[in-house]
mmCIF file of all heavy atoms in Angstrom:
data_model
loop_
_atom_site.group_PDB
_atom_site.id
_atom_site.type_symbol
_atom_site.label_atom_id
_atom_site.label_comp_id
_atom_site.label_asym_id
_atom_site.label_seq_id
_atom_site.Cartn_x
_atom_site.Cartn_y
_atom_site.Cartn_z
ATOM 1 N N ILE A 1 118.353 107.221 155.556
ATOM 2 C CA ILE A 1 117.634 106.570 156.651
ATOM 3 C C ILE A 1 116.779 107.572 157.432
ATOM 4 O O ILE A 1 115.756 107.207 158.006
ATOM 5 C CB ILE A 1 118.595 105.796 157.589
ATOM 6 C CG1 ILE A 1 117.817 104.945 158.587
ATOM 7 C CG2 ILE A 1 119.512 106.744 158.331
ATOM 8 C CD1 ILE A 1 116.938 103.892 157.969
ATOM 9 N N VAL A 2 117.167 108.837 157.430
ATOM 10 C CA VAL A 2 116.401 109.845 158.164
ATOM 11 C C VAL A 2 115.114 110.218 157.429
ATOM 12 O O VAL A 2 114.098 110.514 158.063
ATOM 13 C CB VAL A 2 117.268 111.096 158.418
ATOM 14 C CG1 VAL A 2 116.448 112.241 158.971
ATOM 15 C CG2 VAL A 2 118.391 110.761 159.384
ATOM 16 N N LEU A 3 115.144 110.196 156.103
ATOM 17 C CA LEU A 3 113.984 110.657 155.328
ATOM 18 C C LEU A 3 112.689 109.900 155.650
ATOM 19 O O LEU A 3 111.669 110.535 155.910
ATOM 20 C CB LEU A 3 114.298 110.606 153.830
ATOM 21 C CG LEU A 3 115.332 111.626 153.366
ATOM 22 C CD1 LEU A 3 115.634 111.431 151.887
ATOM 23 C CD2 LEU A 3 114.873 113.037 153.634
ATOM 24 N N PRO A 4 112.671 108.560 155.648
ATOM 25 C CA PRO A 4 111.409 107.894 155.986
ATOM 26 C C PRO A 4 111.001 108.149 157.438
ATOM 27 O O PRO A 4 109.802 108.271 157.735
ATOM 28 C CB PRO A 4 111.677 106.408 155.743
ATOM 29 C CG PRO A 4 113.142 106.269 155.625
ATOM 30 C CD PRO A 4 113.690 107.613 155.252
ATOM 31 N N TRP A 5 111.965 108.256 158.323
ATOM 32 C CA TRP A 5 111.681 108.533 159.738
ATOM 33 C C TRP A 5 111.002 109.888 159.865
ATOM 34 O O TRP A 5 109.982 110.043 160.526
ATOM 35 C CB TRP A 5 112.998 108.505 160.509
ATOM 36 C CG TRP A 5 112.958 107.799 161.816
ATOM 37 C CD1 TRP A 5 113.111 108.383 163.030
ATOM 38 C CD2 TRP A 5 112.783 106.408 162.072
ATOM 39 N NE1 TRP A 5 113.043 107.433 164.017
ATOM 40 C CE2 TRP A 5 112.845 106.210 163.453
ATOM 41 C CE3 TRP A 5 112.575 105.298 161.257
ATOM 42 C CZ2 TRP A 5 112.703 104.969 164.049
ATOM 43 C CZ3 TRP A 5 112.441 104.064 161.842
ATOM 44 C CH2 TRP A 5 112.499 103.899 163.210
ATOM 45 N N MET A 6 111.567 110.880 159.204
ATOM 46 C CA MET A 6 111.030 112.231 159.230
ATOM 47 C C MET A 6 109.639 112.283 158.592
ATOM 48 O O MET A 6 108.700 112.864 159.144
ATOM 49 C CB MET A 6 111.995 113.142 158.471
ATOM 50 C CG MET A 6 111.847 114.593 158.768
ATOM 51 S SD MET A 6 113.189 115.547 158.018
ATOM 52 C CE MET A 6 112.804 115.413 156.292
ATOM 53 N N LEU A 7 109.514 111.654 157.443
ATOM 54 C CA LEU A 7 108.228 111.643 156.740
ATOM 55 C C LEU A 7 107.167 110.890 157.534
ATOM 56 O O LEU A 7 106.019 111.327 157.608
ATOM 57 C CB LEU A 7 108.402 111.016 155.351
ATOM 58 C CG LEU A 7 107.207 111.092 154.411
ATOM 59 C CD1 LEU A 7 106.818 112.537 154.154
ATOM 60 C CD2 LEU A 7 107.522 110.382 153.115
ATOM 61 N N GLY A 8 107.543 109.772 158.148
ATOM 62 C CA GLY A 8 106.596 109.016 158.967
ATOM 63 C C GLY A 8 106.052 109.840 160.121
ATOM 64 O O GLY A 8 104.847 109.835 160.389
ATOM 65 N N TYR A 9 106.942 110.553 160.795
ATOM 66 C CA TYR A 9 106.497 111.411 161.898
ATOM 67 C C TYR A 9 105.631 112.551 161.399
ATOM 68 O O TYR A 9 104.612 112.886 162.007
ATOM 69 C CB TYR A 9 107.695 111.970 162.662
ATOM 70 C CG TYR A 9 108.238 111.035 163.705
ATOM 71 C CD1 TYR A 9 109.529 110.539 163.619
ATOM 72 C CD2 TYR A 9 107.462 110.644 164.795
ATOM 73 C CE1 TYR A 9 110.039 109.682 164.579
ATOM 74 C CE2 TYR A 9 107.962 109.791 165.761
ATOM 75 C CZ TYR A 9 109.253 109.312 165.647
ATOM 76 O OH TYR A 9 109.747 108.463 166.601
ATOM 77 N N LEU A 10 106.020 113.147 160.277
ATOM 78 C CA LEU A 10 105.251 114.265 159.737
ATOM 79 C C LEU A 10 103.844 113.832 159.340
ATOM 80 O O LEU A 10 102.855 114.497 159.666
ATOM 81 C CB LEU A 10 105.992 114.870 158.541
ATOM 82 C CG LEU A 10 105.470 116.198 158.021
ATOM 83 C CD1 LEU A 10 105.536 117.270 159.107
ATOM 84 C CD2 LEU A 10 106.280 116.630 156.812
ATOM 85 N N LEU A 11 103.740 112.690 158.671
ATOM 86 C CA LEU A 11 102.427 112.198 158.257
ATOM 87 C C LEU A 11 101.595 111.710 159.436
ATOM 88 O O LEU A 11 100.360 111.725 159.374
ATOM 89 C CB LEU A 11 102.577 111.092 157.216
ATOM 90 C CG LEU A 11 103.130 111.544 155.857
ATOM 91 C CD1 LEU A 11 103.337 110.347 154.940
ATOM 92 C CD2 LEU A 11 102.227 112.576 155.210
ATOM 93 N N SER A 12 102.245 111.292 160.510
ATOM 94 C CA SER A 12 101.479 110.888 161.702
ATOM 95 C C SER A 12 100.855 112.102 162.382
ATOM 96 O O SER A 12 99.871 111.975 163.100
ATOM 97 C CB SER A 12 102.373 110.135 162.687
ATOM 98 O OG SER A 12 103.284 111.010 163.310
ATOM 99 N N TRP A 13 101.446 113.266 162.146
ATOM 100 C CA TRP A 13 100.882 114.496 162.693
ATOM 101 C C TRP A 13 99.793 115.031 161.765
ATOM 102 O O TRP A 13 98.681 115.309 162.191
ATOM 103 C CB TRP A 13 101.991 115.535 162.879
ATOM 104 C CG TRP A 13 101.503 116.914 163.141
ATOM 105 C CD1 TRP A 13 100.822 117.351 164.245
ATOM 106 C CD2 TRP A 13 101.646 118.042 162.287
ATOM 107 N NE1 TRP A 13 100.528 118.679 164.133
ATOM 108 C CE2 TRP A 13 101.033 119.143 162.925
ATOM 109 C CE3 TRP A 13 102.236 118.242 161.045
ATOM 110 C CZ2 TRP A 13 100.998 120.405 162.381
ATOM 111 C CZ3 TRP A 13 102.207 119.492 160.496
ATOM 112 C CH2 TRP A 13 101.596 120.564 161.156
ATOM 113 N N TRP A 14 100.127 115.143 160.485
ATOM 114 C CA TRP A 14 99.164 115.618 159.502
ATOM 115 C C TRP A 14 99.401 114.886 158.206
ATOM 116 O O TRP A 14 100.550 114.804 157.765
ATOM 117 C CB TRP A 14 99.351 117.124 159.271
ATOM 118 C CG TRP A 14 98.336 117.679 158.356
ATOM 119 C CD1 TRP A 14 97.077 118.073 158.667
ATOM 120 C CD2 TRP A 14 98.484 117.880 156.952
ATOM 121 N NE1 TRP A 14 96.441 118.509 157.551
ATOM 122 C CE2 TRP A 14 97.277 118.398 156.479
ATOM 123 C CE3 TRP A 14 99.509 117.642 156.038
ATOM 124 C CZ2 TRP A 14 97.071 118.692 155.142
ATOM 125 C CZ3 TRP A 14 99.308 117.948 154.713
ATOM 126 C CH2 TRP A 14 98.088 118.474 154.272
ATOM 127 N N PRO A 15 98.492 114.239 157.642
ATOM 128 C CA PRO A 15 97.047 114.325 157.792
ATOM 129 C C PRO A 15 96.440 113.266 158.726
ATOM 130 O O PRO A 15 95.255 113.343 159.031
ATOM 131 C CB PRO A 15 96.546 114.108 156.364
ATOM 132 C CG PRO A 15 97.552 113.180 155.764
ATOM 133 C CD PRO A 15 98.874 113.559 156.406
ATOM 134 N N LEU A 16 97.209 112.292 159.165
ATOM 135 C CA LEU A 16 96.632 111.186 159.938
ATOM 136 C C LEU A 16 96.206 111.587 161.342
ATOM 137 O O LEU A 16 95.299 110.981 161.909
ATOM 138 C CB LEU A 16 97.621 110.019 160.012
ATOM 139 C CG LEU A 16 98.026 109.409 158.672
ATOM 140 C CD1 LEU A 16 99.048 108.306 158.880
ATOM 141 C CD2 LEU A 16 96.802 108.879 157.945
ATOM 142 N N GLU A 17 96.875 112.555 161.935
ATOM 143 C CA GLU A 17 96.562 113.056 163.272
ATOM 144 C C GLU A 17 96.577 111.972 164.343
ATOM 145 O O GLU A 17 95.782 111.979 165.270
ATOM 146 C CB GLU A 17 95.223 113.805 163.270
ATOM 147 C CG GLU A 17 95.227 115.012 162.364
ATOM 148 C CD GLU A 17 93.911 115.741 162.322
ATOM 149 O OE1 GLU A 17 92.964 115.359 163.034
ATOM 150 O OE2 GLU A 17 93.837 116.726 161.565
ATOM 151 N N THR A 18 97.504 111.017 164.219
ATOM 152 C CA THR A 18 97.632 109.967 165.235
ATOM 153 C C THR A 18 98.703 110.294 166.266
ATOM 154 O O THR A 18 98.759 109.664 167.313
ATOM 155 C CB THR A 18 97.991 108.607 164.580
ATOM 156 O OG1 THR A 18 99.193 108.767 163.821
ATOM 157 C CG2 THR A 18 96.862 108.118 163.691
ATOM 158 N N PHE A 19 99.540 111.274 165.962
ATOM 159 C CA PHE A 19 100.619 111.645 166.872
ATOM 160 C C PHE A 19 100.762 113.159 166.863
ATOM 161 O O PHE A 19 101.391 113.729 165.975
ATOM 162 C CB PHE A 19 101.922 110.967 166.424
ATOM 163 C CG PHE A 19 103.053 111.100 167.396
ATOM 164 C CD1 PHE A 19 102.904 110.789 168.743
ATOM 165 C CD2 PHE A 19 104.302 111.511 166.955
ATOM 166 C CE1 PHE A 19 103.958 110.905 169.628
ATOM 167 C CE2 PHE A 19 105.374 111.618 167.840
ATOM 168 C CZ PHE A 19 105.195 111.319 169.181
ATOM 169 N N PRO A 20 100.169 113.852 167.847
ATOM 170 C CA PRO A 20 100.160 115.317 167.850
ATOM 171 C C PRO A 20 101.546 115.964 167.829
ATOM 172 O O PRO A 20 101.706 117.070 167.341
ATOM 173 C CB PRO A 20 99.436 115.682 169.149
ATOM 174 C CG PRO A 20 98.734 114.449 169.590
ATOM 175 C CD PRO A 20 99.452 113.285 168.980
ATOM 176 N N ARG A 21 102.544 115.280 168.338
ATOM 177 C CA ARG A 21 103.897 115.844 168.357
ATOM 178 C C ARG A 21 104.727 115.385 167.161
ATOM 179 O O ARG A 21 105.935 115.560 167.136
ATOM 180 C CB ARG A 21 104.592 115.454 169.652
ATOM 181 C CG ARG A 21 104.004 116.104 170.872
ATOM 182 C CD ARG A 21 104.779 115.718 172.082
ATOM 183 N NE ARG A 21 106.196 115.688 171.729
ATOM 184 C CZ ARG A 21 107.170 116.053 172.513
ATOM 185 N NH1 ARG A 21 106.910 116.456 173.703
ATOM 186 N NH2 ARG A 21 108.427 115.996 172.118
ATOM 187 N N GLY A 22 104.093 114.805 166.171
ATOM 188 C CA GLY A 22 104.814 114.312 165.000
ATOM 189 C C GLY A 22 105.603 115.388 164.285
ATOM 190 O O GLY A 22 106.714 115.145 163.806
ATOM 191 N N TRP A 23 105.057 116.589 164.233
ATOM 192 C CA TRP A 23 105.770 117.683 163.561
ATOM 193 C C TRP A 23 107.058 118.028 164.294
ATOM 194 O O TRP A 23 108.049 118.390 163.662
ATOM 195 C CB TRP A 23 104.869 118.908 163.418
ATOM 196 C CG TRP A 23 104.581 119.616 164.708
ATOM 197 C CD1 TRP A 23 103.583 119.343 165.596
ATOM 198 C CD2 TRP A 23 105.319 120.705 165.260
ATOM 199 N NE1 TRP A 23 103.646 120.189 166.666
ATOM 200 C CE2 TRP A 23 104.703 121.047 166.486
ATOM 201 C CE3 TRP A 23 106.430 121.430 164.841
ATOM 202 C CZ2 TRP A 23 105.163 122.072 167.297
ATOM 203 C CZ3 TRP A 23 106.883 122.462 165.656
ATOM 204 C CH2 TRP A 23 106.262 122.772 166.853
ATOM 205 N N VAL A 24 107.050 117.893 165.627
ATOM 206 C CA VAL A 24 108.254 118.183 166.414
ATOM 207 C C VAL A 24 109.335 117.150 166.092
ATOM 208 O O VAL A 24 110.491 117.492 165.829
ATOM 209 C CB VAL A 24 107.949 118.199 167.930
ATOM 210 C CG1 VAL A 24 109.224 118.359 168.736
ATOM 211 C CG2 VAL A 24 106.942 119.288 168.254
ATOM 212 N N ALA A 25 108.963 115.872 166.115
ATOM 213 C CA ALA A 25 109.926 114.808 165.822
ATOM 214 C C ALA A 25 110.454 114.940 164.397
ATOM 215 O O ALA A 25 111.661 114.768 164.162
ATOM 216 C CB ALA A 25 109.286 113.442 166.032
ATOM 217 N N ALA A 26 109.573 115.262 163.449
ATOM 218 C CA ALA A 26 110.002 115.442 162.057
ATOM 219 C C ALA A 26 110.994 116.600 161.946
ATOM 220 O O ALA A 26 112.021 116.488 161.266
ATOM 221 C CB ALA A 26 108.797 115.680 161.158
ATOM 222 N N ALA A 27 110.703 117.693 162.629
ATOM 223 C CA ALA A 27 111.601 118.854 162.588
ATOM 224 C C ALA A 27 112.950 118.518 163.222
ATOM 225 O O ALA A 27 114.007 118.900 162.691
ATOM 226 C CB ALA A 27 110.960 120.036 163.312
ATOM 227 N N ILE A 28 112.928 117.802 164.338
ATOM 228 C CA ILE A 28 114.178 117.440 164.999
ATOM 229 C C ILE A 28 115.037 116.570 164.087
ATOM 230 O O ILE A 28 116.237 116.819 163.925
ATOM 231 C CB ILE A 28 113.901 116.744 166.344
ATOM 232 C CG1 ILE A 28 113.376 117.780 167.356
ATOM 233 C CG2 ILE A 28 115.141 116.035 166.873
ATOM 234 C CD1 ILE A 28 112.851 117.181 168.638
ATOM 235 N N TRP A 29 114.445 115.544 163.477
ATOM 236 C CA TRP A 29 115.227 114.676 162.588
ATOM 237 C C TRP A 29 115.745 115.459 161.387
ATOM 238 O O TRP A 29 116.871 115.254 160.937
ATOM 239 C CB TRP A 29 114.421 113.458 162.151
ATOM 240 C CG TRP A 29 114.373 112.417 163.201
ATOM 241 C CD1 TRP A 29 113.295 112.004 163.925
ATOM 242 C CD2 TRP A 29 115.483 111.650 163.693
ATOM 243 N NE1 TRP A 29 113.671 111.046 164.836
ATOM 244 C CE2 TRP A 29 115.002 110.807 164.707
ATOM 245 C CE3 TRP A 29 116.829 111.600 163.373
ATOM 246 C CZ2 TRP A 29 115.825 109.920 165.399
ATOM 247 C CZ3 TRP A 29 117.658 110.723 164.056
ATOM 248 C CH2 TRP A 29 117.145 109.887 165.069
ATOM 249 N N GLY A 30 114.937 116.373 160.862
ATOM 250 C CA GLY A 30 115.396 117.197 159.747
ATOM 251 C C GLY A 30 116.560 118.095 160.132
ATOM 252 O O GLY A 30 117.536 118.225 159.392
ATOM 253 N N LEU A 31 116.475 118.685 161.319
ATOM 254 C CA LEU A 31 117.555 119.557 161.789
ATOM 255 C C LEU A 31 118.810 118.768 162.134
ATOM 256 O O LEU A 31 119.928 119.264 161.943
ATOM 257 C CB LEU A 31 117.080 120.372 162.995
ATOM 258 C CG LEU A 31 116.034 121.439 162.653
ATOM 259 C CD1 LEU A 31 115.430 122.027 163.925
ATOM 260 C CD2 LEU A 31 116.644 122.529 161.792
ATOM 261 N N ILE A 32 118.647 117.564 162.628
ATOM 262 C CA ILE A 32 119.807 116.732 162.930
ATOM 263 C C ILE A 32 120.536 116.355 161.635
ATOM 264 O O ILE A 32 121.765 116.297 161.602
ATOM 265 C CB ILE A 32 119.389 115.469 163.719
ATOM 266 C CG1 ILE A 32 119.002 115.850 165.145
ATOM 267 C CG2 ILE A 32 120.493 114.427 163.716
ATOM 268 C CD1 ILE A 32 118.385 114.712 165.949
ATOM 269 N N ALA A 33 119.789 116.114 160.569
ATOM 270 C CA ALA A 33 120.390 115.690 159.304
ATOM 271 C C ALA A 33 120.963 116.857 158.496
ATOM 272 O O ALA A 33 121.805 116.645 157.621
ATOM 273 C CB ALA A 33 119.362 114.946 158.464
ATOM 274 N N THR A 34 120.555 118.072 158.793
ATOM 275 C CA THR A 34 121.002 119.227 158.014
ATOM 276 C C THR A 34 122.526 119.383 157.977
ATOM 277 O O THR A 34 123.093 119.604 156.894
ATOM 278 C CB THR A 34 120.322 120.515 158.517
ATOM 279 O OG1 THR A 34 118.910 120.365 158.348
ATOM 280 C CG2 THR A 34 120.813 121.743 157.777
ATOM 281 N N PRO A 35 123.239 119.271 159.111
ATOM 282 C CA PRO A 35 124.704 119.393 159.016
ATOM 283 C C PRO A 35 125.340 118.343 158.108
ATOM 284 O O PRO A 35 126.360 118.616 157.473
ATOM 285 C CB PRO A 35 125.174 119.209 160.469
ATOM 286 C CG PRO A 35 123.996 119.581 161.295
ATOM 287 C CD PRO A 35 122.794 119.170 160.501
ATOM 288 N N VAL A 36 124.750 117.176 158.018
ATOM 289 C CA VAL A 36 125.285 116.139 157.132
ATOM 290 C C VAL A 36 125.221 116.626 155.688
ATOM 291 O O VAL A 36 126.186 116.478 154.925
ATOM 292 C CB VAL A 36 124.506 114.813 157.300
ATOM 293 C CG1 VAL A 36 124.945 113.791 156.273
ATOM 294 C CG2 VAL A 36 124.657 114.273 158.712
ATOM 295 N N ILE A 37 124.111 117.217 155.322
ATOM 296 C CA ILE A 37 123.940 117.730 153.960
ATOM 297 C C ILE A 37 124.915 118.879 153.701
ATOM 298 O O ILE A 37 125.527 118.963 152.631
ATOM 299 C CB ILE A 37 122.480 118.167 153.731
ATOM 300 C CG1 ILE A 37 121.550 116.948 153.849
ATOM 301 C CG2 ILE A 37 122.306 118.855 152.384
ATOM 302 C CD1 ILE A 37 120.085 117.288 153.982
ATOM 303 N N VAL A 38 125.083 119.751 154.687
ATOM 304 C CA VAL A 38 126.008 120.886 154.542
ATOM 305 C C VAL A 38 127.439 120.392 154.369
ATOM 306 O O VAL A 38 128.157 120.820 153.457
ATOM 307 C CB VAL A 38 125.901 121.833 155.758
ATOM 308 C CG1 VAL A 38 127.000 122.882 155.739
ATOM 309 C CG2 VAL A 38 124.530 122.500 155.788
ATOM 310 N N VAL A 39 127.866 119.482 155.223
ATOM 311 C CA VAL A 39 129.245 118.988 155.173
ATOM 312 C C VAL A 39 129.498 118.208 153.888
ATOM 313 O O VAL A 39 130.607 118.240 153.355
ATOM 314 C CB VAL A 39 129.559 118.135 156.421
ATOM 315 C CG1 VAL A 39 130.907 117.449 156.305
ATOM 316 C CG2 VAL A 39 129.534 119.014 157.663
ATOM 317 N N ALA A 40 128.485 117.539 153.361
ATOM 318 C CA ALA A 40 128.656 116.796 152.111
ATOM 319 C C ALA A 40 129.089 117.722 150.977
ATOM 320 O O ALA A 40 129.782 117.297 150.051
ATOM 321 C CB ALA A 40 127.366 116.073 151.744
ATOM 322 N N GLY A 41 128.742 118.990 151.065
ATOM 323 C CA GLY A 41 129.125 119.960 150.039
ATOM 324 C C GLY A 41 130.452 120.645 150.293
ATOM 325 O O GLY A 41 130.925 121.403 149.451
ATOM 326 N N TRP A 42 131.041 120.412 151.451
ATOM 327 C CA TRP A 42 132.330 121.031 151.770
ATOM 328 C C TRP A 42 133.444 120.390 150.974
ATOM 329 O O TRP A 42 133.474 119.190 150.772
ATOM 330 C CB TRP A 42 132.675 120.849 153.236
ATOM 331 C CG TRP A 42 131.982 121.757 154.186
ATOM 332 C CD1 TRP A 42 131.143 122.791 153.905
ATOM 333 C CD2 TRP A 42 132.063 121.681 155.611
ATOM 334 N NE1 TRP A 42 130.707 123.354 155.062
ATOM 335 C CE2 TRP A 42 131.251 122.699 156.124
ATOM 336 C CE3 TRP A 42 132.736 120.849 156.498
ATOM 337 C CZ2 TRP A 42 131.104 122.910 157.487
ATOM 338 C CZ3 TRP A 42 132.588 121.065 157.849
ATOM 339 C CH2 TRP A 42 131.785 122.091 158.331
ATOM 340 N N ARG A 43 134.397 121.207 150.615
ATOM 341 C CA ARG A 43 135.633 120.685 150.028
ATOM 342 C C ARG A 43 136.633 120.550 151.160
ATOM 343 O O ARG A 43 136.773 121.439 151.983
ATOM 344 C CB ARG A 43 136.146 121.612 148.940
ATOM 345 C CG ARG A 43 135.146 121.709 147.780
ATOM 346 C CD ARG A 43 135.720 122.267 146.519
ATOM 347 N NE ARG A 43 136.950 121.669 146.038
ATOM 348 C CZ ARG A 43 137.032 120.501 145.382
ATOM 349 N NH1 ARG A 43 135.966 119.798 145.159
ATOM 350 N NH2 ARG A 43 138.199 120.064 144.943
ATOM 351 N N GLU A 44 137.315 119.453 151.180
ATOM 352 C CA GLU A 44 138.316 119.201 152.221
ATOM 353 C C GLU A 44 139.595 119.936 151.876
ATOM 354 O O GLU A 44 139.957 120.054 150.703
ATOM 355 C CB GLU A 44 138.575 117.688 152.308
ATOM 356 C CG GLU A 44 139.237 117.239 153.568
ATOM 357 C CD GLU A 44 138.383 117.437 154.803
ATOM 358 O OE1 GLU A 44 137.326 116.806 154.923
ATOM 359 O OE2 GLU A 44 138.790 118.236 155.661
ATOM 360 N N HIS A 45 140.279 120.447 152.889
ATOM 361 C CA HIS A 45 141.587 121.076 152.672
ATOM 362 C C HIS A 45 142.560 120.018 152.171
ATOM 363 O O HIS A 45 142.484 118.861 152.578
ATOM 364 C CB HIS A 45 142.120 121.669 153.977
ATOM 365 C CG HIS A 45 141.314 122.812 154.486
ATOM 366 N ND1 HIS A 45 141.155 123.986 153.782
ATOM 367 C CD2 HIS A 45 140.603 122.960 155.620
ATOM 368 C CE1 HIS A 45 140.394 124.797 154.468
ATOM 369 N NE2 HIS A 45 140.037 124.205 155.586
#
């Protein structure tokens, strides 16, 4: 669910240039989702 949100914000910044802060929102969503990806690779005790 984060991927289209992140991509939408990124594309609104570049190349469409309709939302100047799109790169910030894309980066935030990407950073928020990163721990999920990391934990998915963890082995549980």
Side-chain angles (χ1 to χ4, degrees):
I1 189 61
V2 171
L3 291 176
W5 223 247
M6 199 171 70
L7 188 60
Y9 276 117
L10 191 60
L11 292 176
S12 72
W13 167 66
W14 184 83
L16 299 178
E17 299 179 3
T18 57
F19 189 50
R21 292 183 39 144
W23 71 273
V24 174
I28 288 170
W29 281 112
L31 290 170
I32 288 172
T34 299
V36 173
I37 297 166
V38 171
V39 172
W42 282 355
R43 297 197 51 78
E44 198 66 65
H45 294 298

